[in-house]
Amino acid sequence: MTSVLHSGVACTWMRGGTSKGAYFLKQDLPLDPVQRDKLLLSIMGSPDERQIDGIGGADPLCSKVAIVSRSDRPDADIDYLFLQVFVDQALVSEAQNCGNILSGVGQFAIEQSLIQASEGTTQVAVYMQNSEQVAELTLETPDARVSYAGDTVIDGVPGKAARVLQNFPQAAGSSCGALLPTGSVVDRIDGINVTCIDNGMPVVVLQASDLGISGYESRESLDNNQQLKEKLESIRLQAGPAMNLGDVKDKSVPKMTMVAPPVNGGVVTTRTFIPHRCHASIGVLGAVSVATACMLDGSPANSVAELPVTQGDVLIDVEHPIGRAGVMMNASGNDAGIKIHKAAVVRTARKLFEGKVFPSVEL
């Protein structure tokens, strides 16, 4: 890793789900995390609210990184490390997964010759290093080649693209050690009932009405509500240690999701802080955790959710500010003894450009 100022770094910029990020081969980045993060901050243009001197999109959803390599594990084809590059702080976090960016790692791996595509569809087992869990992807690969064209539509993304099915059979407790890391369906923090849950993403779920809002406000309105943000942060800082995440002051988890009754044909309405800015939609794994919380009797989410009366596979449409995210759930038992058999979501991805990106720092 010398003279990156002049030689640049090989990079693919992709939309994954409702996010965008830079995809790198592990071999093309420094092995030392400190040097790696210094390079990524420069590439993204952080810290700066506009990220004007980098390729970041001035939004947490457009300031993400995937690092991909061939896996040595018998149960995985590729390894995937997700990094959240903060926009206005010199921080790079690996405390969480990202299901949206995961949507593009299989295609990236095929196009970088890490794995081979199959005719029709390709199954890819992805070891998510952040949580030490394996996710299962099903990609559309007509003629044994990556195709980004298709007929699948997801809310928050205009147009149609090829379908990516993501299943997370090992997601429960992936970051916190247990689906319900506090051991309870309901905890009370600052006088408010919350569910601390981790089914792929650590999330604190609480009712919007308990915080003095309706839960249907715009993202901009919530971002400007300083009193609300202070309440949420107080609860988040207390929930972090209780969820086995330690001091979360400088971490991007847990996410904070406020729920309300559905209004657009879904099961529940959400507004999520990630953690200090309101999400334009909702993260893939965040939606999985919220959908799971809806199935827990007596939880804040369950109290406002309109669940379908169905046995076996249950489709839970999680409403968010710009649409809905569908999660196919299959679970048995209830409360702290619930067992998750399936947690699958449909996403799409598209390659935007590939080439070299040039940082502003030398290593």
Side-chain angles (χ1 to χ4, degrees):
M1 295 300 301
T2 58
S3 302
V4 293
L5 277 172
H6 304 290
S7 63
V9 181
C11 174
T12 299
W13 188 249
M14 297 183 72
R15 175 189 63 78
T18 53
S19 294
K20 289 193 289 188
Y23 290 65
F24 297 96
L25 290 174
K26 181 179 179 181
Q27 67 195 42
D28 292 334
L29 295 176
L31 293 178
D32 175 53
V34 174
Q35 292 296 305
R36 179 201 67 199
D37 292 354
K38 179 181 178 183
L39 178 66
L40 294 176
L41 286 164
S42 173
I43 285 172
M44 287 295 181
S46 298
D48 174 48
E49 289 186 355
R50 293 197 298 156
Q51 292 183 316
I52 194 64
D53 202 32
I55 64 173
D59 188 298
L61 303 183
C62 303
S63 187
K64 298 184 174 187
V65 168
I67 301 177
V68 183
S69 60
R70 186 177 287 111
S71 183
D72 294 327
R73 295 173 57 91
D75 59 348
D77 300 308
I78 58 174
D79 293 342
Y80 155 55
L81 177 67
F82 170 71
L83 297 174
Q84 178 70 61
V85 181
F86 282 55
V87 174
D88 55 358
Q89 300 180 63
L91 292 174
V92 178
S93 172
E94 58 180 66
Q96 66 184 73
N97 286 314
C98 180
N100 276 310
I101 295 300
L102 172 66
S103 305
V105 300
Q107 300 91 321
F108 176 76
I110 292 171
E111 294 186 334
Q112 295 295 323
S113 300
L114 299 182
I115 57 176
Q116 289 187 336
S118 301
E119 173 64 37
T121 61
T122 299
Q123 309 293 321
V124 185
V126 181
Y127 178 62
M128 300 186 295
Q129 292 178 275
N130 303 75
S131 58
E132 301 181 344
Q133 304 287 326
V134 175
E136 301 168 348
L137 305 182
T138 302
L139 312 178
E140 296 184 1
T141 51
D143 301 321
R145 298 179 61 182
V146 170
S147 174
Y148 296 103
D151 297 321
T152 298
V153 176
I154 61 172
D155 286 335
V157 178
K160 301 176 181 180
R163 179 176 183 256
V164 179
L165 181 65
Q166 304 179 354
N167 187 29
F168 303 97
Q170 302 176 356
S174 56
S175 296
C176 301
L179 178 69
L180 297 170
T182 69
S184 302
V185 171
V186 179
D187 294 286
R188 197 163 179 83
I189 303 177
D190 287 352
I192 293 175
N193 287 341
V194 306
T195 295
C196 299
I197 191 166
D198 172 20
N199 197 12
M201 179 65 69
V203 179
V204 178
V205 184
L206 58 170
Q207 286 190 19
S209 59
D210 287 342
L211 289 159
I213 65 170
S214 68
Y216 310 116
E217 291 84 356
S218 69
R219 180 191 191 194
E220 294 73 22
S221 172
L222 295 176
D223 268 334
N224 290 325
N225 189 334
Q226 192 59 39
Q227 184 178 23
L228 170 67
K229 293 167 76 171
E230 289 174 1
K231 289 180 181 179
L232 288 173
E233 184 66 359
S234 175
I235 294 171
R236 194 180 79 88
L237 293 177
Q238 295 173 70
M243 297 176 73
N244 302 317
L245 295 170
D247 184 354
V248 297
K249 181 180 179 182
D250 294 323
K251 294 182 180 179
S252 55
V253 289
K255 311 301 187 188
M256 306 296 292
T257 295
M258 297 168 288
V259 294
V263 291
N264 292 312
V267 169
V268 68
T269 292
T270 63
R271 296 293 186 268
T272 300
F273 277 79
I274 55 172
H276 303 128
R277 294 179 68 177
C278 188
H279 203 306
S281 54
I282 190 170
V284 170
L285 291 164
V288 172
S289 289
V290 172
T292 308
C294 288
M295 303 177 74
L296 301 174
D297 286 345
S299 72
N302 180 262
S303 299
V304 297
E306 296 180 6
L307 289 166
V309 183
T310 306
Q311 298 297 319
D313 288 357
V314 178
L315 178 62
I316 297 183
D317 274 327
V318 179
E319 298 177 2
H320 53 74
I322 55 176
R324 303 191 310 203
V327 182
M328 187 64 70
M329 298 288 304
N330 190 311
S332 60
N334 210 327
D335 300 334
I338 194 171
K339 185 175 182 180
I340 307 300
H341 306 292
K342 178 188 288 186
V345 296
V346 172
R347 295 278 86 186
T348 65
R350 191 170 77 85
K351 181 168 64 175
L352 304 178
F353 74 72
E354 64 180 359
K356 289 187 175 182
V357 62
F358 293 86
S360 60
V361 298
E362 186 62 275
L363 300 180

